[in-house]
Structure formats: C-alpha cells, structure tokens
C-alpha cells in the first residue's frame, strides 16, 4: 500500500472514531435508554481488532520503508567512504595502476549490488543507478586507458583535469541518489 | 571451448601493450586469445571467455585483446563465435561488445 492510501486510511479511521464518539456523547446527553446487546459488543470488539490490526500493519510498513531507505543510503555512503580511504582517488597526477584497477573492481561490485537492491526496493520506479553507472564507466575508461609507466599511471595535465571533472561528477551523481532517496 | 583468464593467463591482467608491463592485453591476445579463437572456429565450437576471478581489468587490456580479435576476424564473426562470462563485473560484457563493434 502506498503512503497516499495510508493517509486516506488514517483519515477514515479518524473520522470513524470521531463519529463513534459523537454518537456516544449524544446518547449520554439526551439520556436515551439504550440497551447494549451482545451483537453491539461483538461488533465493537471486531471493529477494534480490525482497527488495531490495520494500525499495526501501517506501522510495520512504515518501519520497513524507513529501514529500506536507511539501508540504501548507508550503501551509498559506504561506497563514497571506500573511495575516501583509497589513496589512488586522492591525486590523479600519479596513480598506482594495480591499486586503482582493484579499487574500480570493488566499486563496480558495490554499484552492481546497489542496482540490484534498488530494483528490489520500493524505489525501483523513482530512482535509477544508470547515470551513476555511466559516470563510473567514463571515469574508469579515462583512467585505465592510459598506459602505465613503471606500474604508475601518469596522465598529462589536460587528462588530469578531465579525470578530476569526471570523478567529481561521479560523486555528485551518488549524492543525487541520496537526495532522491531522502 | 572455454578460456578462464584468471587461471590460464593471469589473475592480475595488466594494461594494453607489452611495454606497459607484464600480462598485457597484447600478450593475452597473441599468446592465448587468438589461437583459442582459431581452434574454436576449426572445431565449430563457441569460444567462452571467462573474466571472473582476477583482481580487475584495465579498459586498455580488454580493448587491445578483443579489439584486435575483432580487427583480425571481423566484428560479426567474433560476436557470433564468442561469448563472455563476467559475473563479478557484469558491465564488462557490454563494454567488450563495444570494443568488438568499434575496434581502434
């Protein structure tokens, strides 16, 4: 059930409660001799049980949504933190070939997991990892297409500018995902 | 017929050319891929190239190896007679197909 229909349900429960209270209050005020029958009590109990059940279901759904949201955001943060810990992403002027190759592999695996998690979540229609993936592929191609010299990639200054730009774009796309989830 | 790069070539594939360092794409093409492709064609089998199990690939390695294969035998023939397995990094499959379709 979507949040919009949840809201409608809340309004309905509130209105039902309101009408019930109003009637009860009026019965007391005008002192109608009201005989409470077994069927009235039963219907009251059933209504209460249904109300409690619905409330519990809504609460559980909200909790699940919150958990999903926090989990997805946590995965993205984990990815950015991983990049922060890697020396190869700090300075693109002089990059160890094996280190960045392995780091790109790790990020790629994280992105694949993120894509699968998003697909299985409630966010599958609202957010997409496609643009992040595109930026990642461009960045990886720009860095790993340069031939290393003595195990180090030493790009020309113009290439460093492009790589830095692409890296910032990649990170920006990741943060856009967090904003979209939030 | 199947080639697993991690076991039959190296678990740490290098860059494009031999002069870039060990385990280059050029070396992989000349030592393994080219001959395996020829044998597969002769036997009338599909060549399966398994990318999994290595410590990652450089785009230059893949471009050199598969791009050269495509230049030598033609994109259509390579796409028909070879398939790629990449469960670790599934996006490599699409990337390699682009190198085959548009070799350098």
């Amino acid at each position: 059930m979507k949040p919009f229909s949840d809201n409608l349900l809340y309004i309905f429960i509130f209105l039902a409660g309101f009408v019930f209270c109003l009637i009860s209050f009026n019965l007391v005020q005008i002192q109608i001799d009201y005989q409470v029958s077994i069927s009235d009590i039963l219907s009251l109990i059933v209504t209460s049980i249904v109300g409690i059940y619905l409330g519990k279901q809504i609460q559980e759904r909200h909790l699940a949504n919150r958990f999903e949201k926090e989990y997805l955001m946590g995965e993205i943060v984990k990815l950015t933190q991983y990049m922060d810990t890697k020396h190869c992403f700090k300075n693109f002027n002089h990059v160890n070939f094996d280190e960045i190759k392995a780091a790109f592999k790790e990020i790629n695996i994280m992105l694949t997991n993120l894509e699968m998690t998003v697909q299985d979540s409630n966010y599958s229609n609202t957010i997409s990892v496609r643009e992040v993936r595109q930026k990642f592929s461009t960045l990886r191609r720009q860095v790993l297409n340069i031939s290393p010299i003595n195990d180090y990639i030493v790009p020309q200054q113009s290439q460093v500018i492009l790589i830095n730009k692409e890296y910032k774009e990649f990170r920006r796309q990741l943060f856009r995902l967090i904003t979209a989830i939030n | 017929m199947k080639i697993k790069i991690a076991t039959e070539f190296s678990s740490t594939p290098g860059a494009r050319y031999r002069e870039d360092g060990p385990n280059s794409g050029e070396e992989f093409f000349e030592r393994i891929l080219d001959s395996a492709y020829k044998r597969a064609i002769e036997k009338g089998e599909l060549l399966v190239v398994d990318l999994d199990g290595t410590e990652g690939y450089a785009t230059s390695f893949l471009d050199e190896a598969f791009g050269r294969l495509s230049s030598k035998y033609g994109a259509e023939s390579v796409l028909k007679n070879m398939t790629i397995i990449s469960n670790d990094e599934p996006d490599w499959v699409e990337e390699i197909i682009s190198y085959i379709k548009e070799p350098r």
Side-chain angles (χ1 to χ4, degrees):
Chain A
M1 198 183 286
K2 296 280 175 253
F4 179 70
S5 50
D6 284 351
N7 287 341
L8 277 180
L9 199 65
Y10 278 135
I11 293 166
F12 175 74
I13 290 169
F14 172 78
L15 286 176
F18 182 77
V19 170
F20 179 75
C21 287
L22 199 71
I23 292 168
S24 310
F25 180 73
N26 285 338
L27 284 175
V28 172
Q29 284 295 96
I30 55 175
Q31 293 192 334
I32 292 172
D33 186 15
Y34 183 73
Q35 291 292 316
V36 180
S37 67
I38 296 290
S39 66
D40 287 338
I41 293 171
L42 276 177
S43 91
L44 202 67
I45 290 168
V46 170
T47 312
S48 306
I49 289 170
V50 169
I52 291 165
Y53 173 77
L54 286 175
K56 208 168 165 342
Q57 288 292 312
I58 291 165
Q59 190 193 24
E60 276 173 10
R61 197 165 296 126
H62 276 285
L63 273 175
N65 286 346
R66 208 172 102 191
F67 175 75
E68 196 171 61
K69 181 177 163 179
E70 280 170 6
Y71 178 77
L72 277 173
M73 282 166 69
E75 289 296 294
I76 299 168
V77 170
K78 210 191 288 175
L79 209 158
T80 55
Q81 280 172 345
Y82 173 78
M83 287 191 285
D84 291 339
T85 60
K86 289 285 159 191
H87 185 261
C88 54
F89 291 116
K90 289 194 173 96
N91 179 9
F92 288 111
N93 286 300
H94 194 251
V95 182
N96 183 281
F97 178 69
D98 286 329
E99 187 191 350
I100 202 156
K101 200 172 55 144
F104 275 133
K105 178 177 179 174
E106 196 59 39
I107 294 169
N108 199 1
I109 291 169
M110 286 176 167
L111 272 180
T112 306
N113 289 339
L114 186 68
E115 274 171 330
M116 288 194 293
T117 314
V118 168
Q119 267 173 13
D120 293 338
S121 75
N122 285 330
Y123 296 95
S124 57
N125 293 326
T126 50
I127 64 167
S128 162
V129 188
R130 198 168 49 89
E131 284 178 14
V132 181
R133 164 73 68 194
Q134 278 173 351
K135 290 287 166 201
F136 169 74
S137 297
T138 312
L139 172 70
R140 183 177 62 184
R141 209 176 299 127
Q142 272 179 353
V143 178
L144 292 180
N145 252 347
I146 301 168
S147 288
I149 302 163
N150 298 327
D151 295 332
Y152 278 87
I153 293 171
V154 188
Q156 292 168 358
Q157 205 46 44
S158 57
Q159 288 173 316
V160 173
I161 293 167
L162 275 176
I163 292 167
N164 272 322
K165 194 179 153 207
E166 231 22 85
Y167 181 63
K168 277 182 192 158
E169 262 303 311
F170 172 55
R171 290 190 72 116
R172 199 173 293 144
Q173 287 294 342
L174 280 173
F175 283 111
R176 271 185 198 153
L177 266 190
I178 293 182
T179 318
I181 292 166
N182 211 11
Chain B
M1 193 171 166
K2 190 174 173 180
I3 307 173
K4 187 163 175 68
I5 295 179
T7 52
E8 288 173 50
F9 181 63
S10 170
S11 58
T12 54
R16 185 182 299 276
Y17 302 120
R18 278 196 165 87
E19 62 254 36
D20 296 335
N23 310 322
S24 63
E26 185 180 28
E27 189 185 338
F28 172 64
F29 172 76
E30 287 170 2
R31 199 155 62 81
I32 311 265
L33 187 63
D34 189 20
S35 51
Y37 187 80
K38 264 189 226 160
R39 265 182 285 136
I41 294 281
E42 282 164 9
K43 286 182 180 176
E45 290 177 8
L46 186 73
L47 176 65
V48 180
V49 182
D50 186 346
L51 303 184
D52 291 339
T54 70
E55 286 174 24
Y57 290 92
T59 45
S60 55
F61 174 94
L62 299 171
D63 186 15
E64 181 64 22
F66 294 99
R68 271 185 73 180
L69 191 72
S70 171
S71 298
K72 191 168 177 182
Y73 299 97
E76 204 181 318
S77 161
V78 173
L79 290 172
K80 200 175 111 189
N81 296 302
M82 187 186 70
T83 186
I84 310 286
I85 294 175
S86 182
N87 295 319
D88 292 349
E89 300 179 88
D91 65 318
W92 280 134
V93 177
E94 215 171 292
E95 190 96 15
I96 289 170
I97 289 172
S98 75
Y99 299 146
I100 293 169
K101 282 181 178 167
E102 290 170 38
R104 276 157 49 101

